[in-house]
């Protein structure tokens, strides 16, 4: 039986109690344009919502009225209503609490109307409602939580509405299986990919209704070549390698100003990397410098300032280009990639109060980058070089031994890795040609994806919240943010970073503080830019 048939049947049932009884409503209780019986009223063509009904009215029908909106508390004067029907009206809006006070209402039929919008709390308070029809109202969307609190519903009719099957309908798809009610729906008019499909047959799991964006938050003056995040004494920190300012700058979060501010700086002329290490209350910084020798700075405990404690391998580290931290046999070590012909990439491990050379690697190859990673449960080290393809070493017998190289990967400036879905992926940066994404197959890295990257010095993966991102920096264009799509196993474009545009980005780091997530972008030809990570719910 259609909605109109149900309405007629209910009207007959409600009127049956007064059949054969001559009743004339008290004076003023049946407004003009309305026909009244003992317990019901039918108003057709009324210019406005009548206000003089009997307070014991059980059913009310409003047909082709001049009512343009249903405001909060529109029916407070008829609290005994069991049935309320609207047909052939035109409502610009049905406001929050439009049916407030109708705690006995069981049947609400809003059919064949032209409705601009329904507020999400329009049906609030209808705790006895069993039958709801919103059929044929030209509705393209329904507000989330519209049916919240309607625990007694047994029938809902949404047919005849051009409800768009986009993210705005996700909440409805998730709600329908959770209620003990029959829900009538129609076919999707759009989007194109879902046109003509039955709404009730859609799978909520196929909807992608969560989006993210990175928006500018703060600028930190002075150019930087590197940026690292670390936690000390339970507080997140950031350290920047600023070669032109001649320092490693440590930043912390100012809870009063809600911004990042300088906390301490280390004198480090021509610095290329500031690598932090926290061991309990002790804090160390390796400052890798192009000239003047690399140094180790140390802070024995909280409340003390960092001080230089050691010159690091002065005969081996002649032109360092990168430094990484790794753990070997339970001990912290640094590996410093050296780009000079006479120097060599050096592994420095802790021994007593300092860090001393453990092994020289890859001499004469002018290494530009080092990346520590774990494969097959063992420590590995990947070195990128100006003179050959990247070489993969594995830790064996207390030293690194060459395992293999990376095929089809000439002219790689730097490498970074990430893990997703049990796989290990590699991002390879190329200044000329395409940067690449590779995946470990158990014996070597295989090419997965190429990305145009003219002028790139950094292709860095970062896990922010639930999103595996990778940022491809460029000296000549906007830096691109990509996101790993689990279904495809590929990086897909997400957004460009800027404005302000990044001026020759060289490194990125993420940090979470005070429940907010931030991305730092260290730039060689401009200030460091800070972006805030936002999650957007497209189904809201």
């Amino acid at each position: 039986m259609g909605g109109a048939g149900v309405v007629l049947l209910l009207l007959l049932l409600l009127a049956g109690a007064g059949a054969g009884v001559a009743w004339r409503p008290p004076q003023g209780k049946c407004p003009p344009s309305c026909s009244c019986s003992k317990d019901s009223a039918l108003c057709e063509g009324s210019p406005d919502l009548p206000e003089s009904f009997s307070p014991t009215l059980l059913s009310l029908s409003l047909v082709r009225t001049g009512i343009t909106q249903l405001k909060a508390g529109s029916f407070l004067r008829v609290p005994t209503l069991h049935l309320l029907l609207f047909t052939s009206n035109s409502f610009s809006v049905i406001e929050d609490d439009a049916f407030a006070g109708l705690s006995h209402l069981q049947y609400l039929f809003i059919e064949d109307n032209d409705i601009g919008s329904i507020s999400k709390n329009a049906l609030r308070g209808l705790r006895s409602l069993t039958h709801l029809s919103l059929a044929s109202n030209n509705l393209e969307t329904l507000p989330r939580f519209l049916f919240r609190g309607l625990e007694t519903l047994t029938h809902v009719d949404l047919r005849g509405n051009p409800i768009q099957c986009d993210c705005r309908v996700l909440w409805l798809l998730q709600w329908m299986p959770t209620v003990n009610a029959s829900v009538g729906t129609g076919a999707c008019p759009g989007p194109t990919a879902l046109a003509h499909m039955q709404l009730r047959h859609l799978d909520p799991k196929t909807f992608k209704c969560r989006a993210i964006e990175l928006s500018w938050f703060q600028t930190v003056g002075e150019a930087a070549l590197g940026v690292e995040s670390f936690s000390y004494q339970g507080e997140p920190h950031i350290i920047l390698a600023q070669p032109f300012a001649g320092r490693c700058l440590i930043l912390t979060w100012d809870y009063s100003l809600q911004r990042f501010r300088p906390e301490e700086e280390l004198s480090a002329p021509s610095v290329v990397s500031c690598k932090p290490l926290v061991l309990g209350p002790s804090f160390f910084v390796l400052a890798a410098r192009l000239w003047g020798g690399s140094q180790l700075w140390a802070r024995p405990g909280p409340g003390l300032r960092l001080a230089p404690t050691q010159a690091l391998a002065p005969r081996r580290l002649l032109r360092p280009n990168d430094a990484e931290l790794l753990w070997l046999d339970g001990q912290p070590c640094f590996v410093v990639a050296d780009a000079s012909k006479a120097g060599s990439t050096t592994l420095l491990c802790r021994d007593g109060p300092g860090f001393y050379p453990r092994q020289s690697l890859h001499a004469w190859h002018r290494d530009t980058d080092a990346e520590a990673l774990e494969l097959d449960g063992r420590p590995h080290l990947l070195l990128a070089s100006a003179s050959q393809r990247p070489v993969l070493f594995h830790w064996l017998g207390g030293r690194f031994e060459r395992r293999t190289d990376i095929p089809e990967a000439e002219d790689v400036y730097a490498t970074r890795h990430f893990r997703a879905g049990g796989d290990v992926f590699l991002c390879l940066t190329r200044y000329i040609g395409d940067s690449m994404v590779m995946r470990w197959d158990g014996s070597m890295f295989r090419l997965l994806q190429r990305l145009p990257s003219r002028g790139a010095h950094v292709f860095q993966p970062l896990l922010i919240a639930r999103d595996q991102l990778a940022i491809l920096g460029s000296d000549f264009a906007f830096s691109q943010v990509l996101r790993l799509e689990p279904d495809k196993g590929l990086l897909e474009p997400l957004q460009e970073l800027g404005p302000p545009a990044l001026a020759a980005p060289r490194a990125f780091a993420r940090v979470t503080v005070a429940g907010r997530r931030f991305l730092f972008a260290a730039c060689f030809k401009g200030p460091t830019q800070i972006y805030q990570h936002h999650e957007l719910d497209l189904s809201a």
Side-chain angles (χ1 to χ4, degrees), residues 264-288:
E264 189 174 355
E265 63 179 73
L266 321 180
S267 177
S270 69
V271 67
V272 295
S273 179
C274 302
K275 185 64 63 172
L277 169 63
V278 176
L279 295 175
S282 300
F283 174 44
F284 302 88
V285 176
L286 182 150

Side-chain angles (χ1 to χ4, degrees), residues 181-511:
S182 63
V183 182
T185 59
C188 302
T192 304
L194 300 177
H196 309 303
M197 289 186 64
Q198 290 295 314
L199 187 149
R200 64 166 47 254
H201 294 155
L202 300 180
D203 183 359
K205 295 179 182 178
T206 63
F207 281 71
K208 298 184 183 299
C209 297
R210 177 180 164 275
I212 66 169
E213 71 173 13
L214 294 161
S215 60
W216 179 83
F217 177 76
Q218 185 182 345
T219 295
V220 178
E222 301 295 341
L225 274 176
V227 57
E228 300 275 350
S229 62
F230 65 96
S231 179
Y232 182 67
Q233 297 295 298
E235 286 295 325
H237 292 75
I238 286 286
I239 187 167
L240 294 165
Q242 297 181 327
F244 301 133
R247 66 186 180 184
C248 295
L249 179 65
I250 298 174
L251 303 175
T252 189
W253 179 253
D254 190 314
Y255 287 89
S256 298
L257 299 177
Q258 295 291 293
R259 294 172 66 83
F260 291 93
R261 62 170 177 80
E263 180 182 74
E264 189 174 355
E265 63 179 73
L266 321 180
S267 177
S270 69
V271 67
V272 295
S273 179
C274 302
K275 185 64 63 172
L277 169 63
V278 176
L279 295 175
S282 300
F283 174 44
F284 302 88
V285 176
L286 182 150
R289 300 162 56 194
L290 285 177
W291 298 286
S294 298
Q295 289 181 310
L296 183 71
W297 292 63
R299 176 193 292 169
L304 302 175
R305 298 189 66 82
L306 284 157
T309 60
Q310 183 187 359
L312 297 172
R315 295 182 181 181
R316 304 189 193 194
L317 300 178
L318 303 182
R319 192 181 176 189
N321 203 69
D322 182 39
E324 294 296 329
L325 172 68
L326 65 164
W327 288 78
L328 299 170
D329 300 330
Q331 288 295 320
C333 298
F334 294 105
V335 60
V336 182
D338 193 273
S340 68
K341 277 191 174 182
S344 63
T345 293
T346 302
L347 178 68
L348 303 156
C349 292
R350 192 182 187 199
D351 186 0
F355 286 78
Y356 299 94
R358 175 82 172 264
Q359 183 182 357
S360 290
L361 291 153
H362 220 214
W364 310 102
H365 284 293
R366 303 179 66 181
D367 294 327
T368 56
D369 180 80
E371 175 73 351
L373 66 163
E374 186 177 285
L375 297 171
D376 309 323
R378 289 183 297 164
H380 282 66
L381 182 65
L382 191 59
L383 296 180
S385 169
S387 61
Q388 65 178 46
R389 294 183 296 191
V391 177
L392 182 67
F393 296 82
H394 60 161
W395 186 248
L396 188 65
R399 59 185 291 109
F400 278 111
E401 300 287 351
R402 180 187 172 111
R403 179 172 181 178
T404 184
D405 61 9
I406 308 297
E408 305 175 39
E410 287 76 14
D411 302 318
V412 170
Y413 177 77
T415 63
R416 292 292 181 268
H417 82 284
F418 66 94
R419 294 179 177 272
D423 290 322
V424 179
F425 298 83
L426 199 61
C427 294
L428 298 96
T429 310
R430 300 177 74 200
Y431 187 78
I432 299 173
D434 295 340
S435 289
M436 295 177 285
V437 182
M438 292 187 167
R439 182 169 54 201
W440 179 252
D441 69 358
S443 61
M444 63 191 311
F445 282 100
R446 303 282 185 181
L447 180 63
L448 185 68
Q449 190 176 2
R450 291 181 181 272
L451 295 164
S453 60
R454 178 174 173 266
H457 276 94
V458 57
F459 183 18
Q460 187 165 340
L462 292 163
L463 182 64
I464 303 181
R466 294 174 284 168
D467 299 293
Q468 180 59 63
L469 306 180
I471 306 176
L472 187 57
S474 174
D475 286 9
F476 306 120
F478 280 105
S479 295
Q480 296 285 334
V481 182
L482 304 110
R483 178 167 57 182
L484 182 70
E485 294 296 337
D487 297 340
K488 300 178 182 179
L490 298 174
L491 292 171
E492 300 284 351
L494 180 66
Q495 72 170 87
E496 294 179 338
L497 275 182
L502 301 180
R506 292 295 182 266
F508 298 93
R510 62 173 177 83
V511 64

